[in-house]
Amino acid sequence: MAKGMTKNTIGQTALAVSELGFGGASVGNLYKAISDEQAQQTIQAAIAAGITLFDTAPHYGLGLSERRIGDALRALPAQDYVLSTKVGRVLTADPTAKVDEIRYGFATPMPFDAHYDYSYDGIMRSYFDSLQRIGVAKIDVLLVHDLGAITHKEQDAFYYEQFCQSGYKAIDELRQQGLVSAVGLGVNETAICERVMEIGQFDCFLLAGRYSLLEQEALTSFLPKCAAHGASIILGGPYNSGILATGVNTSHTPLYNYAPAPEAIVQRVAKIETICRQFEVTLAAAALQFPLAHPCVASVIPGLGSAAIVAQTTTLLEQTIPAEFWQTLHQHGLLDPLAPVPMEGG
């Protein structure tokens, strides 16, 4: 395993994770099928690069991601990696599953269906089922998946109450018994994270986007609350669905929040790209490194769909970005004045 990648502590726990993490959606056949061989090559490349945080979920390929990540990590000493998975959905066998079609966004051969369950019993079942699928004796980080209004809309109040009255007790018991080392949420919004901080102690939040080179609204409320609560951020989606990886000078329609980027976002990224060219900085490198400057952010998890992308991403993480680049973004109003920025060579 490669050495030298910076590690950061999760909340007030003893867990230390690599600043670059591995998100398991791609090896769950997100949008398209990949072979077991390609999945294992990708995971092994991440291990060789010094990545120690591996995040998966029952939702990713209806169990396929958990199985593949377990196959890769099982042979390693447990202290060499931090394994994160999720609860909130229970998988059940479905003999009628159309495994030759994309289901829930995944081209998976796994003959299962999923239903939401944030109750005590549902979370306990999900946890122990994941142990079986992954083939390990312990999960390090347990995240409650997709709680909140963005996912559940008119059913938000029902599932939130289910979690408050029943489910939180389950994750807290698992933590107290030492069956997990950290608990949190894995979500796409900050509002639900702020809500749950009022019902118990959370060690981390895996947040897709919401704090990036493009958007820093989280600095005013969410991140200060995380600091006061003692919770770390594992940041997914540092490229905001792709626009901060591809830029806007491309023949393809730039994507932001899983949709074609609105004109205001396109113009903002164009201004950032101009400054990138001025300082010979790769846009994707700036997007990857920027969130890590905030003391609450322990790790970033971009999409790592192949061994080549793993290598490319570690290069972006190591790219030297001059302090003048960040200063210029501040001067042009392209970064929030409160946003901390990486130290040159740090």
Short mmCIF file of all heavy atoms in Angstrom, two decimals, residues 5-6 18-21 49 51 239 284-286 288-290 292 300 310-321 346:
data_model
loop_
_atom_site.label_atom_id
_atom_site.label_comp_id
_atom_site.label_asym_id
_atom_site.label_seq_id
_atom_site.Cartn_x
_atom_site.Cartn_y
_atom_site.Cartn_z
N MET A 5 -0.53 9.55 2.10
CA MET A 5 -1.74 10.32 1.96
C MET A 5 -2.20 10.81 3.33
O MET A 5 -2.23 10.06 4.30
CB MET A 5 -2.86 9.48 1.31
CG MET A 5 -4.08 10.32 0.95
SD MET A 5 -5.35 9.41 0.04
CE MET A 5 -4.53 9.15 -1.54
N THR A 6 -2.52 12.09 3.40
CA THR A 6 -2.94 12.69 4.66
C THR A 6 -4.18 11.99 5.20
O THR A 6 -5.08 11.64 4.45
CB THR A 6 -3.24 14.19 4.46
OG1 THR A 6 -2.04 14.83 4.02
CG2 THR A 6 -3.73 14.83 5.75
N SER A 18 -8.33 8.48 5.06
CA SER A 18 -7.55 9.16 4.02
C SER A 18 -8.34 10.34 3.48
O SER A 18 -9.56 10.31 3.37
CB SER A 18 -7.21 8.18 2.89
OG SER A 18 -8.38 7.56 2.38
N GLU A 19 -7.62 11.41 3.13
CA GLU A 19 -8.31 12.62 2.65
C GLU A 19 -9.01 12.38 1.32
O GLU A 19 -9.92 13.13 0.94
CB GLU A 19 -7.31 13.77 2.51
CG GLU A 19 -6.18 13.53 1.54
CD GLU A 19 -5.21 14.69 1.48
OE1 GLU A 19 -5.50 15.73 2.10
OE2 GLU A 19 -4.16 14.55 0.83
N LEU A 20 -8.63 11.34 0.60
CA LEU A 20 -9.34 10.92 -0.60
C LEU A 20 -9.99 9.58 -0.30
O LEU A 20 -9.33 8.64 0.13
CB LEU A 20 -8.37 10.78 -1.78
CG LEU A 20 -8.96 10.34 -3.12
CD1 LEU A 20 -9.95 11.38 -3.64
CD2 LEU A 20 -7.85 10.09 -4.15
N GLY A 21 -11.31 9.50 -0.49
CA GLY A 21 -12.03 8.28 -0.21
C GLY A 21 -12.54 7.63 -1.48
O GLY A 21 -12.53 8.22 -2.56
N ALA A 49 -3.04 3.23 -4.02
CA ALA A 49 -2.83 4.68 -3.98
C ALA A 49 -2.82 5.24 -2.56
O ALA A 49 -2.52 6.41 -2.36
CB ALA A 49 -3.91 5.38 -4.80
N ILE A 51 -5.56 5.03 -0.48
CA ILE A 51 -6.92 5.30 -0.01
C ILE A 51 -7.30 4.27 1.04
O ILE A 51 -7.12 3.07 0.84
CB ILE A 51 -7.91 5.26 -1.20
CG1 ILE A 51 -7.65 6.44 -2.13
CG2 ILE A 51 -9.36 5.25 -0.72
CD1 ILE A 51 -8.44 6.41 -3.42
N TYR A 239 -17.17 17.65 -7.60
CA TYR A 239 -17.23 18.27 -8.93
C TYR A 239 -18.64 18.76 -9.28
O TYR A 239 -18.90 19.14 -10.42
CB TYR A 239 -16.77 17.27 -10.00
CG TYR A 239 -15.39 16.72 -9.79
CD1 TYR A 239 -15.13 15.36 -9.94
CD2 TYR A 239 -14.32 17.53 -9.42
CE1 TYR A 239 -13.86 14.82 -9.77
CE2 TYR A 239 -13.05 17.02 -9.24
CZ TYR A 239 -12.82 15.65 -9.40
OH TYR A 239 -11.56 15.13 -9.22
N ALA A 284 -10.25 20.74 -12.10
CA ALA A 284 -10.63 19.60 -11.26
C ALA A 284 -9.75 19.50 -10.02
O ALA A 284 -10.21 19.09 -8.94
CB ALA A 284 -10.56 18.31 -12.06
N ALA A 285 -8.47 19.87 -10.14
CA ALA A 285 -7.58 19.86 -8.98
C ALA A 285 -8.02 20.88 -7.95
O ALA A 285 -8.04 20.60 -6.74
CB ALA A 285 -6.14 20.13 -9.42
N ALA A 286 -8.39 22.06 -8.41
CA ALA A 286 -8.87 23.10 -7.49
C ALA A 286 -10.15 22.65 -6.80
O ALA A 286 -10.33 22.84 -5.60
CB ALA A 286 -9.10 24.40 -8.24
N LEU A 288 -11.14 19.59 -6.22
CA LEU A 288 -10.87 18.48 -5.32
C LEU A 288 -10.20 18.95 -4.03
O LEU A 288 -10.53 18.49 -2.93
CB LEU A 288 -9.97 17.47 -6.03
CG LEU A 288 -9.81 16.09 -5.39
CD1 LEU A 288 -11.13 15.34 -5.38
CD2 LEU A 288 -8.76 15.29 -6.15
N GLN A 289 -9.28 19.91 -4.15
CA GLN A 289 -8.50 20.34 -3.00
C GLN A 289 -9.22 21.38 -2.13
O GLN A 289 -9.01 21.43 -0.92
CB GLN A 289 -7.15 20.91 -3.46
CG GLN A 289 -6.23 19.88 -4.10
CD GLN A 289 -4.89 20.47 -4.50
OE1 GLN A 289 -4.38 21.39 -3.85
NE2 GLN A 289 -4.31 19.96 -5.58
N PHE A 290 -10.07 22.20 -2.75
CA PHE A 290 -10.70 23.29 -2.00
C PHE A 290 -11.44 22.84 -0.74
O PHE A 290 -11.20 23.38 0.35
CB PHE A 290 -11.64 24.09 -2.91
CG PHE A 290 -12.54 25.01 -2.16
CD1 PHE A 290 -12.05 26.18 -1.58
CD2 PHE A 290 -13.88 24.69 -1.97
CE1 PHE A 290 -12.89 27.02 -0.84
CE2 PHE A 290 -14.72 25.53 -1.24
CZ PHE A 290 -14.23 26.69 -0.67
N LEU A 292 -11.14 20.40 1.25
CA LEU A 292 -10.30 19.82 2.29
C LEU A 292 -9.65 20.87 3.19
O LEU A 292 -9.14 20.55 4.26
CB LEU A 292 -9.21 18.95 1.66
CG LEU A 292 -9.70 17.61 1.08
CD1 LEU A 292 -8.65 17.00 0.18
CD2 LEU A 292 -10.08 16.65 2.21
N VAL A 300 -12.74 13.69 0.88
CA VAL A 300 -13.58 13.92 -0.29
C VAL A 300 -13.68 12.62 -1.07
O VAL A 300 -12.72 11.85 -1.14
CB VAL A 300 -13.04 15.04 -1.20
CG1 VAL A 300 -13.13 16.39 -0.52
CG2 VAL A 300 -11.62 14.77 -1.65
N VAL A 310 -8.62 6.53 -10.81
CA VAL A 310 -7.97 6.58 -9.50
C VAL A 310 -6.61 7.25 -9.63
O VAL A 310 -6.27 8.16 -8.86
CB VAL A 310 -7.81 5.16 -8.90
CG1 VAL A 310 -6.93 5.21 -7.65
CG2 VAL A 310 -9.17 4.56 -8.56
N ALA A 311 -5.82 6.84 -10.62
CA ALA A 311 -4.49 7.42 -10.81
C ALA A 311 -4.58 8.90 -11.16
O ALA A 311 -3.82 9.74 -10.63
CB ALA A 311 -3.75 6.67 -11.92
N GLN A 312 -5.52 9.25 -12.02
CA GLN A 312 -5.70 10.64 -12.41
C GLN A 312 -6.10 11.50 -11.21
O GLN A 312 -5.61 12.62 -11.03
CB GLN A 312 -6.77 10.72 -13.49
CG GLN A 312 -7.08 12.13 -13.98
CD GLN A 312 -8.26 12.15 -14.94
OE1 GLN A 312 -9.31 11.58 -14.68
NE2 GLN A 312 -8.06 12.78 -16.09
N THR A 313 -6.97 10.97 -10.36
CA THR A 313 -7.47 11.74 -9.23
C THR A 313 -6.39 11.96 -8.18
O THR A 313 -6.30 13.04 -7.59
CB THR A 313 -8.69 11.04 -8.60
OG1 THR A 313 -9.68 10.83 -9.62
CG2 THR A 313 -9.29 11.87 -7.49
N THR A 314 -5.57 10.96 -7.93
CA THR A 314 -4.49 11.16 -6.96
C THR A 314 -3.49 12.20 -7.48
O THR A 314 -2.94 12.97 -6.69
CB THR A 314 -3.77 9.83 -6.66
OG1 THR A 314 -3.31 9.24 -7.88
CG2 THR A 314 -4.71 8.84 -5.97
N THR A 315 -3.30 12.25 -8.79
CA THR A 315 -2.43 13.28 -9.37
C THR A 315 -3.03 14.67 -9.16
O THR A 315 -2.33 15.63 -8.82
CB THR A 315 -2.22 13.02 -10.87
OG1 THR A 315 -1.57 11.76 -11.05
CG2 THR A 315 -1.36 14.11 -11.51
N LEU A 316 -4.34 14.80 -9.34
CA LEU A 316 -5.02 16.07 -9.12
C LEU A 316 -4.89 16.51 -7.66
O LEU A 316 -4.70 17.69 -7.37
CB LEU A 316 -6.50 15.96 -9.48
CG LEU A 316 -6.83 15.76 -10.96
CD1 LEU A 316 -8.31 15.46 -11.13
CD2 LEU A 316 -6.44 16.99 -11.78
N LEU A 317 -4.99 15.54 -6.76
CA LEU A 317 -4.89 15.86 -5.34
C LEU A 317 -3.50 16.38 -4.97
O LEU A 317 -3.35 17.20 -4.06
CB LEU A 317 -5.22 14.61 -4.51
CG LEU A 317 -5.35 14.79 -3.00
CD1 LEU A 317 -6.54 15.68 -2.66
CD2 LEU A 317 -5.50 13.44 -2.30
N GLU A 318 -2.49 15.92 -5.69
CA GLU A 318 -1.10 16.29 -5.39
C GLU A 318 -0.64 17.53 -6.15
O GLU A 318 0.45 18.04 -5.89
CB GLU A 318 -0.18 15.11 -5.74
CG GLU A 318 -0.42 13.88 -4.87
CD GLU A 318 0.25 12.63 -5.42
OE1 GLU A 318 0.83 12.72 -6.53
OE2 GLU A 318 0.17 11.58 -4.77
N GLN A 319 -1.44 18.03 -7.09
CA GLN A 319 -1.03 19.18 -7.89
C GLN A 319 -0.81 20.40 -7.00
O GLN A 319 -1.62 20.71 -6.14
CB GLN A 319 -2.09 19.50 -8.95
CG GLN A 319 -1.68 20.59 -9.91
CD GLN A 319 -2.73 20.81 -11.00
OE1 GLN A 319 -3.24 21.91 -11.16
NE2 GLN A 319 -3.05 19.77 -11.76
N THR A 320 0.29 21.09 -7.20
CA THR A 320 0.59 22.29 -6.43
C THR A 320 -0.22 23.46 -6.97
O THR A 320 -0.19 23.75 -8.18
CB THR A 320 2.08 22.63 -6.50
OG1 THR A 320 2.83 21.54 -5.93
CG2 THR A 320 2.39 23.90 -5.72
N ILE A 321 -0.94 24.12 -6.08
CA ILE A 321 -1.76 25.27 -6.46
C ILE A 321 -1.25 26.48 -5.69
O ILE A 321 -1.22 26.47 -4.46
CB ILE A 321 -3.25 25.02 -6.15
CG1 ILE A 321 -3.75 23.80 -6.95
CG2 ILE A 321 -4.08 26.26 -6.46
CD1 ILE A 321 -5.21 23.45 -6.69
N GLY A 346 0.76 22.47 1.12
CA GLY A 346 0.28 21.80 2.31
C GLY A 346 -0.63 20.65 2.00
O GLY A 346 -0.92 20.34 0.87
#
